[in-house]
Amino acid sequence: MRRRLSLSLTLVAVVIMLAACVNKGQQQPQLQQSQARQSGSNANESTAATPDDGVRRISVEEARAALAQDRAVILDVRGTVEYELGHIKGARLLPLGEIARRAGELPREKLIVTYCACKHEGLSGHAVQELQKQGIENASALTGGLDAWTAAGLPTESSNNNR
Protein backbone atom coordinates (compact mmCIF):
# COMPACT_ATOMS: atom_id res chain seq x y z
CA MET A 1 0.00 0.00 0.00
CA ARG A 2 2.81 2.37 0.92
CA ARG A 3 4.60 1.59 -2.33
CA ARG A 4 1.44 2.26 -4.36
CA LEU A 5 0.98 5.63 -2.65
CA SER A 6 4.61 6.53 -3.29
CA LEU A 7 4.30 5.51 -6.94
CA SER A 8 1.07 7.50 -7.30
CA LEU A 9 2.63 10.62 -5.78
CA THR A 10 5.66 10.27 -8.04
CA LEU A 11 3.42 9.93 -11.08
CA VAL A 12 1.47 13.06 -10.11
CA ALA A 13 4.75 14.97 -9.63
CA VAL A 14 5.99 13.87 -13.07
CA VAL A 15 2.74 14.95 -14.74
CA ILE A 16 2.91 18.35 -13.03
CA MET A 17 6.54 18.84 -14.07
CA LEU A 18 5.80 17.89 -17.67
CA ALA A 19 2.83 20.24 -17.73
CA ALA A 20 5.04 23.07 -16.48
CA CYS A 21 7.56 22.36 -19.24
CA VAL A 22 4.89 22.19 -21.94
CA ASN A 23 3.16 25.37 -20.75
CA LYS A 24 6.46 27.25 -20.64
CA GLY A 25 7.31 26.05 -24.15
CA GLN A 26 3.93 27.15 -25.50
CA GLN A 27 4.29 30.61 -23.93
CA GLN A 28 7.71 31.25 -25.52
CA PRO A 29 6.52 31.81 -29.14
CA GLN A 30 3.68 34.03 -27.90
CA LEU A 31 6.18 36.09 -25.91
CA GLN A 32 8.43 36.43 -28.97
CA GLN A 33 5.52 37.55 -31.16
CA SER A 34 4.33 40.03 -28.55
CA GLN A 35 7.81 41.51 -28.15
CA ALA A 36 8.24 41.70 -31.91
CA ARG A 37 4.94 43.56 -32.32
CA GLN A 38 5.97 46.03 -29.63
CA SER A 39 9.32 46.67 -31.29
CA GLY A 40 7.82 46.77 -34.78
CA SER A 41 9.89 43.86 -36.11
CA ASN A 42 9.09 40.41 -37.36
CA ALA A 43 9.20 37.69 -34.66
CA ASN A 44 11.15 35.44 -37.01
CA GLU A 45 13.97 37.98 -37.27
CA SER A 46 14.84 37.74 -33.59
CA THR A 47 16.58 34.95 -31.78
CA ALA A 48 15.02 33.35 -28.71
CA ALA A 49 13.16 35.80 -26.52
CA THR A 50 14.65 36.61 -23.16
CA PRO A 51 12.29 35.35 -20.47
CA ASP A 52 10.76 38.14 -18.45
CA ASP A 53 10.61 36.24 -15.16
CA GLY A 54 13.48 37.95 -13.34
CA VAL A 55 15.47 34.71 -13.23
CA ARG A 56 19.16 34.80 -14.07
CA ARG A 57 20.28 32.17 -16.56
CA ILE A 58 23.71 30.59 -16.83
CA SER A 59 25.13 28.85 -19.87
CA VAL A 60 26.33 25.27 -19.78
CA GLU A 61 29.92 26.44 -20.26
CA GLU A 62 29.70 29.01 -17.46
CA ALA A 63 28.18 26.42 -15.13
CA ARG A 64 30.83 23.84 -16.02
CA ALA A 65 33.62 26.34 -15.31
CA ALA A 66 32.10 27.42 -11.97
CA LEU A 67 31.69 23.78 -10.90
CA ALA A 68 35.26 22.93 -11.94
CA GLN A 69 36.55 25.81 -9.81
CA ASP A 70 34.36 24.75 -6.86
CA ARG A 71 32.49 28.08 -7.01
CA ALA A 72 29.07 26.51 -7.59
CA VAL A 73 26.69 23.79 -6.47
CA ILE A 74 24.34 22.25 -9.01
CA LEU A 75 20.82 21.25 -7.99
CA ASP A 76 18.53 18.87 -9.82
CA VAL A 77 15.07 20.22 -9.01
CA ARG A 78 13.16 17.36 -10.65
CA GLY A 79 11.75 14.39 -8.76
CA THR A 80 13.56 11.40 -7.31
CA VAL A 81 12.66 9.05 -10.16
CA GLU A 82 13.98 11.41 -12.84
CA TYR A 83 17.14 12.02 -10.81
CA GLU A 84 17.78 8.31 -10.41
CA LEU A 85 17.32 7.74 -14.14
CA GLY A 86 20.01 10.27 -14.98
CA HIS A 87 21.43 13.54 -13.71
CA ILE A 88 24.41 15.84 -14.04
CA LYS A 89 27.41 14.22 -12.41
CA GLY A 90 27.77 15.54 -8.87
CA ALA A 91 24.33 17.19 -8.81
CA ARG A 92 22.42 17.29 -5.57
CA LEU A 93 18.76 16.31 -5.62
CA LEU A 94 16.53 19.04 -4.21
CA PRO A 95 13.05 18.79 -5.72
CA LEU A 96 11.26 22.08 -6.29
CA GLY A 97 8.67 21.33 -3.60
CA GLU A 98 11.37 20.90 -0.94
CA ILE A 99 13.38 24.06 -1.54
CA ALA A 100 11.54 26.24 0.98
CA ARG A 101 12.09 23.67 3.72
CA ARG A 102 15.68 22.71 2.86
CA ALA A 103 17.25 25.96 1.59
CA GLY A 104 19.29 26.15 4.81
CA GLU A 105 21.31 23.12 3.63
CA LEU A 106 22.79 25.12 0.74
CA PRO A 107 26.09 27.00 0.93
CA ARG A 108 25.58 30.77 0.81
CA GLU A 109 29.09 31.48 -0.48
CA LYS A 110 28.62 29.57 -3.74
CA LEU A 111 26.53 30.05 -6.85
CA ILE A 112 23.50 27.77 -6.83
CA VAL A 113 22.76 26.45 -10.32
CA THR A 114 19.36 24.82 -10.74
CA TYR A 115 18.36 22.62 -13.63
CA CYS A 116 15.47 20.51 -14.87
CA ALA A 117 14.61 18.74 -18.11
CA CYS A 118 12.67 21.70 -19.54
CA LYS A 119 14.40 23.36 -22.46
CA HIS A 120 12.84 26.66 -21.34
CA GLU A 121 13.95 26.28 -17.69
CA GLY A 122 10.38 25.99 -16.38
CA LEU A 123 11.03 24.21 -13.09
CA SER A 124 14.54 25.51 -12.61
CA GLY A 125 13.32 29.07 -13.06
CA HIS A 126 10.71 28.54 -10.37
CA ALA A 127 13.43 27.01 -8.18
CA VAL A 128 15.58 30.15 -8.53
CA GLN A 129 12.59 32.28 -7.57
CA GLU A 130 11.99 30.10 -4.49
CA LEU A 131 15.66 30.31 -3.53
CA GLN A 132 15.42 34.09 -3.76
CA LYS A 133 12.40 34.04 -1.44
CA GLN A 134 14.54 32.07 1.00
CA GLY A 135 17.26 34.74 0.89
CA ILE A 136 19.61 33.05 -1.60
CA GLU A 137 20.25 35.68 -4.25
CA ASN A 138 23.24 34.02 -5.93
CA ALA A 139 21.24 31.50 -7.96
CA SER A 140 20.83 30.86 -11.68
CA ALA A 141 18.89 28.46 -13.89
CA LEU A 142 20.90 26.36 -16.34
CA THR A 143 20.00 27.45 -19.87
CA GLY A 144 18.61 24.48 -21.78
CA GLY A 145 18.63 22.24 -18.71
CA LEU A 146 19.81 18.65 -18.72
CA ASP A 147 19.41 18.34 -22.50
CA ALA A 148 21.87 21.19 -23.14
CA TRP A 149 24.34 19.68 -20.66
CA THR A 150 24.25 16.26 -22.32
CA ALA A 151 24.33 17.80 -25.82
CA ALA A 152 27.58 19.51 -24.81
CA GLY A 153 29.01 16.08 -23.97
CA LEU A 154 29.38 16.85 -20.29
CA PRO A 155 29.26 14.08 -17.69
CA THR A 156 26.04 12.61 -16.35
CA GLU A 157 25.37 9.65 -14.12
CA SER A 158 22.47 7.56 -12.87
CA SER A 159 21.76 6.18 -9.44
CA ASN A 160 22.04 2.43 -9.04
CA ASN A 161 18.74 1.43 -7.59
CA ASN A 162 18.91 -2.18 -6.35
CA ARG A 163 15.37 -2.44 -5.05
Side-chain angles (χ1 to χ4, degrees), residues 66-82:
L67 288 167
Q69 296 171 1
D70 198 31
R71 295 184 293 115
V73 171
I74 193 149
L75 298 181
D76 188 319
V77 299
R78 304 173 300 157
T80 304
V81 172
E82 294 87 354

Side-chain angles (χ1 to χ4, degrees), residues 47 57 61 68 81 89 107 109 130 147 154:
T47 58
R57 269 41 180 203
E61 185 52 38
V81 172
K89 187 172 183 175
E109 72 280 0
E130 185 58 41
D147 287 345
L154 296 171

Side-chain angles (χ1 to χ4, degrees), residues 17-32 49 57 117-123 126:
M17 287 189 288
L18 289 174
C21 290
V22 169
N23 287 339
K24 186 74 174 179
Q26 289 173 347
Q27 291 170 358
Q28 195 73 10
Q30 293 169 351
L31 177 61
Q32 273 184 290
R57 269 41 180 203
C118 307
K119 70 177 185 176
H120 299 292
E121 303 87 46
L123 293 176
H126 288 300

